[in-house]
Amino acid sequence: MREKVERLVVLQAIDLRVQEMEREKSGIPQSIASLEEELRKEEDKFRVEKAEMEKLGKDRRQKEKDLEEETDRVKKAESKVFEIKTNKEYQAVLREIESAKKLNRQREEEILEILEKLEQGQKWITGAEKDLEGKRKEMQAQISGLKQKEASFEQEMAGEVRQKEEQEKEIPVELLSKYRMLAGKRQGIAVARVAHGACQACHMNLRPQLYIELQKQETLILCPNCSRILFWDNGSTKAERA
Ligand SMILES: [Zn+2]
């Protein structure tokens, strides 16, 4: 019986490794998707900001054009002032020129404000472009690392499955199904080691008589408390490796 239980110990170690690898592997696609999503968000933010700057540049050109046209109109009006015959008309034209000039000063101020924003925006874009490039590289490296990990898990798992099948061949069907049933009910731990006279899964102390029987391991012994298959480690090589 000792040899069979030792095989179960080895099998359990393989099952636990496979379980852990499957758990890690199943999280990889989600990790890749969230990295990609994060990058997409950064790129969107950058695009929005860049479009904003382009719009501002258009505004600036329009305002400069308006200013130029209005300045021309004022100049023309000023050059024709002397042709005016009546004082009333003269005053009216002067008022018009004055208000057009005021509007132009306002345009100049607006253009200056836009220029300032454009300068800041350009600085942000230059910095953000560099940041984005760095992030893109970093994330791509992370993603390809994850993909590599996924591939190596598959390889490792295939190896573990082969070992597992080898172990299973040597274990009687009844014992194997008992192991499976217990593993299903006890989070994968169907076999518990006994150390210092206690089950290492539930920490219950064994009665001395049971402990002696276990050391002989002539029959299958279950923990009276947690019903796991008990195993007493006598330093045998097979179980040591697990
Ligand atoms: Zn126990």
Side-chain angles (χ1 to χ4, degrees), residues 192-193 198-204 206 222-228 230:
R193 282 173 196 265
C199 165
Q200 293 302 293
C202 72
H203 304 290
M204 158 103 165
L206 303 184
L222 304 182
C223 173
N225 186 46
C226 71
S227 331
R228 287 183 175 94
L230 290 179

Side-chain angles (χ1 to χ4, degrees), residues 26-165:
S26 71
I28 290 177
Q30 184 52 45
S31 303
I32 291 177
S34 43
L35 280 170
E36 283 170 344
E37 175 65 14
E38 205 182 313
L39 187 61
R40 229 187 338 267
K41 272 188 194 155
E42 294 280 341
E43 282 173 337
D44 283 349
K45 195 177 144 201
F46 180 74
R47 260 195 295 278
V48 166
E49 199 67 27
K50 211 173 172 183
E52 196 67 28
M53 285 299 116
E54 273 159 21
K55 192 175 154 282
L56 219 52
K58 241 186 223 168
D59 269 12
R60 173 202 170 182
R61 285 190 290 281
Q62 184 59 49
K63 281 196 197 298
E64 279 174 341
K65 201 173 151 234
D66 290 351
L67 179 63
E68 210 177 300
E69 282 171 6
E70 283 302 309
T71 308
D72 276 355
R73 285 237 309 261
V74 167
K75 268 185 197 156
K76 267 181 204 150
E78 279 177 331
S79 69
K80 282 181 185 164
V81 154
F82 64 91
E83 291 170 12
I84 294 168
K85 302 286 186 285
T86 70
N87 189 49
K88 197 179 162 196
E89 207 187 329
Y90 180 73
Q91 291 301 331
V93 170
L94 279 189
R95 269 200 302 276
E96 254 176 59
I97 289 174
E98 211 34 64
S99 79
K101 278 184 172 172
K102 202 176 155 196
L103 206 63
N104 280 347
R105 280 196 295 277
Q106 207 178 306
R107 284 197 177 98
E108 279 169 350
E109 270 170 34
E110 282 169 9
I111 289 170
L112 280 177
E113 263 173 44
I114 291 177
L115 284 175
E116 215 169 285
K117 275 189 200 160
L118 277 173
E119 202 188 327
Q120 282 170 357
Q122 197 49 53
K123 260 188 213 157
W124 185 87
I125 283 176
T126 312
E129 216 158 27
K130 228 171 130 188
D131 278 359
L132 197 60
E133 197 42 50
K135 270 183 198 152
R136 209 177 273 140
K137 275 189 191 149
E138 195 187 306
M139 283 182 190
Q140 268 156 6
Q142 279 178 297
I143 288 170
S144 72
L146 284 171
K147 283 182 179 163
Q148 258 171 10
K149 210 168 158 191
E150 202 174 21
S152 76
F153 272 152
E154 267 161 35
Q155 233 177 357
E156 269 181 66
M157 260 153 59
E160 296 282 6
V161 167
R162 272 196 302 276
Q163 280 190 47
K164 180 185 156 125
E165 283 165 355

Side-chain angles (χ1 to χ4, degrees), residues 154-235:
E154 267 161 35
Q155 233 177 357
E156 269 181 66
M157 260 153 59
E160 296 282 6
V161 167
R162 272 196 302 276
Q163 280 190 47
K164 180 185 156 125
E165 283 165 355
E166 262 172 50
Q167 289 300 324
E168 284 175 342
K169 264 190 280 177
E170 305 298 326
I171 300 167
V173 179
E174 246 174 83
L175 185 58
L176 196 58
S177 71
K178 184 157 193 64
Y179 163 79
R180 293 262 169 263
M181 191 262 293
L182 276 169
K185 281 186 191 167
R186 302 273 188 274
Q187 283 87 40
I189 313 287
V191 186
R193 282 173 196 265
V194 171
H196 314 295
C199 165
Q200 293 302 293
C202 72
H203 304 290
M204 158 103 165
N205 284 314
L206 303 184
R207 280 178 291 110
Q209 185 54 42
L210 196 62
Y211 192 41
I212 290 162
E213 271 178 50
L214 180 68
Q215 284 171 321
K216 288 189 217 145
Q217 190 95 73
E218 280 160 357
T219 53
L220 190 69
I221 296 170
L222 304 182
C223 173
N225 186 46
C226 71
S227 331
R228 287 183 175 94
I229 297 166
L230 290 179
F231 169 68
W232 181 69
D233 199 347
N234 67 352

